[in-house]
Amino acid sequence: MTRFALTVVRHGETRLNKEKIIQGQGVDEPLSETGFKQAAAAGIFLNNVKFTHVFSSDLMRTKQTVHGILEKSNVCKDLTVKYDSRLRERKYGVAEGRALSELRAMAKAAGEECPMFTPPGGETLDQVKMRGKDFFNILCQLILQEAGQNEQFSQGAPSNCLETSLAEIFPLGKTCASESNSDSDAPGLVASVLVVSHGAYMKSLFNYFLTDLKCSLPSTLNKSELMSVSPNTGISLFIVNFEKGREVNPTIQCVCMYLQDHLNGGTETH
């Protein structure tokens, strides 16, 4: 079995987020003062997590957020960020730059529900899902390839370090290979990946995990949380498991979704 951790963070708040204006891909708004504080707070929360790979959408609000997170890191401040257009927000076409209320009115006029509605020039939910699926598949191939190349050198030490750094702040529980249980078949993590993206995109990606890959969920997670959009800098963690046969889809365990512990009073400092 090959296992890796996937930490997904939504970008910090922008002025247009607060004003409920659709940004999509065409309105490249920077973070607000609150957004920069949120990114810094997320960075402080994650500052001892040892990431091996960092990916981000190539839009300004995600670039600024990932920079704000890595700036606070004690262990991977100099890690290279790979910017990927497949991680961009859903494209909303003619609705970009307009109020969310206008998008809802457009959907109503078309006789559709807002999340399912595609404005002229926008992406369908299926198109967003395919972008997410494509990114995830390429990521899995990369991790499996690197794990195969490094297998003869790793011998567990780096993976224990990755797992331990996550376990300090996340409720890994049974998803974690227990150091005290020598009979455990679960190997350590071969990689720990940080992804910074967008609300609607993340919702689509997580829906793919849940519906197509049958992702298991913690008992503390209720259905309303699954149907919602992540708050700004909400943190979600998944453990991805591959069996020996690489042609088979991975199994995914959700450790937490839309965690906001770092925002409880943390945005007023640093």
Side-chain angles (χ1 to χ4, degrees):
M1 184 188 291
T2 302
R3 304 166 69 245
F4 73 91
L6 176 62
T7 304
V8 186
V9 183
R10 187 187 175 197
H11 63 81
E13 183 189 88
T14 68
R15 176 183 60 86
L16 298 185
N17 283 148
K18 191 169 185 179
E19 295 176 1
K20 300 191 184 305
I21 303 294
I22 303 291
Q23 294 168 102
Q25 298 183 14
V27 181
D28 203 9
E29 182 80 3
L31 296 182
S32 64
E33 183 180 351
T34 296
F36 279 112
K37 288 179 179 179
Q38 290 171 336
I44 293 166
F45 182 75
L46 296 167
N47 66 0
N48 288 320
V49 175
K50 175 63 178 171
F51 293 112
T52 56
H53 304 73
V54 182
F55 295 88
S56 169
S57 156
D58 58 354
L59 297 177
M60 189 183 302
R61 54 195 184 274
T62 42
K63 284 183 173 182
Q64 291 176 331
T65 300
V66 76
H67 176 74
I69 291 172
L70 292 180
E71 194 174 46
K72 299 296 183 182
S73 177
N74 293 326
V75 287
C76 48
K77 193 184 298 259
D78 299 324
L79 206 57
T80 300
V81 180
K82 295 180 180 177
Y83 297 105
D84 196 318
S85 61
R86 289 171 300 187
L87 293 171
R88 286 183 178 184
E89 181 59 294
R90 181 183 180 186
K91 187 177 181 181
Y92 285 94
V94 299
E96 292 181 352
R98 297 165 75 171
L100 177 59
S101 58
E102 289 187 56
L103 176 63
R104 288 175 174 154
M106 291 168 67
K108 187 176 181 180
E112 295 183 42
E113 295 292 326
C114 193
M116 302 299 294
F117 173 67
T118 303
E123 284 183 296
T124 66
L125 289 180
D126 279 345
Q127 287 173 322
V128 181
K129 176 183 174 181
M130 289 308 297
R131 274 202 287 127
K133 182 178 178 181
D134 185 48
F135 171 79
F136 182 68
N137 287 343
I138 294 296
L139 174 63
C140 289
Q141 290 172 24
L142 171 69
I143 300 302
L144 286 171
Q145 182 181 20
E146 291 181 352
Q149 292 170 348
N150 297 334
E151 192 171 357
Q152 57 185 324
F153 305 109
S154 59
Q155 301 303 317
S159 59
N160 287 342
C161 170
L162 300 181
E163 205 129 358
T164 301
S165 72
L166 286 166
E168 287 178 1
I169 57 172
F170 292 110
L172 288 185
K174 292 182 179 178
T175 63
C176 184
S178 173
E179 294 179 12
S180 61
N181 182 4
S182 58
D183 296 327
S184 174
D185 291 331
L189 299 173
V190 299
S192 183
V193 181
L194 172 64
V195 169
V196 179
S197 188
H198 305 262
Y201 178 90
M202 288 166 56
K203 184 179 177 182
S204 176
L205 178 65
F206 297 170
N207 186 55
Y208 167 64
F209 288 172
L210 293 166
T211 57
D212 293 50
L213 300 181
K214 310 300 180 189
C215 174
S216 63
L217 299 169
S219 58
T220 52
L221 205 60
N222 61 54
K223 195 164 185 178
S224 65
E225 290 176 282
L226 300 180
M227 302 303 291
S228 64
V229 174
S230 172
N232 291 111
T233 66
I235 300 171
S236 301
L237 174 64
F238 302 86
I239 303 296
V240 183
N241 304 271
F242 276 94
E243 299 297 336
K244 286 278 187 181
R246 294 188 179 185
E247 298 304 314
V248 182
N249 280 334
T251 58
I252 303 181
Q253 297 163 289
C254 176
V255 175
C256 64
M257 193 174 283
Y258 306 155
L259 192 71
Q260 302 178 66
D261 290 9
H262 58 290
L263 298 180
N264 296 334
T267 57
E268 297 306 313
T269 59
H270 304 276

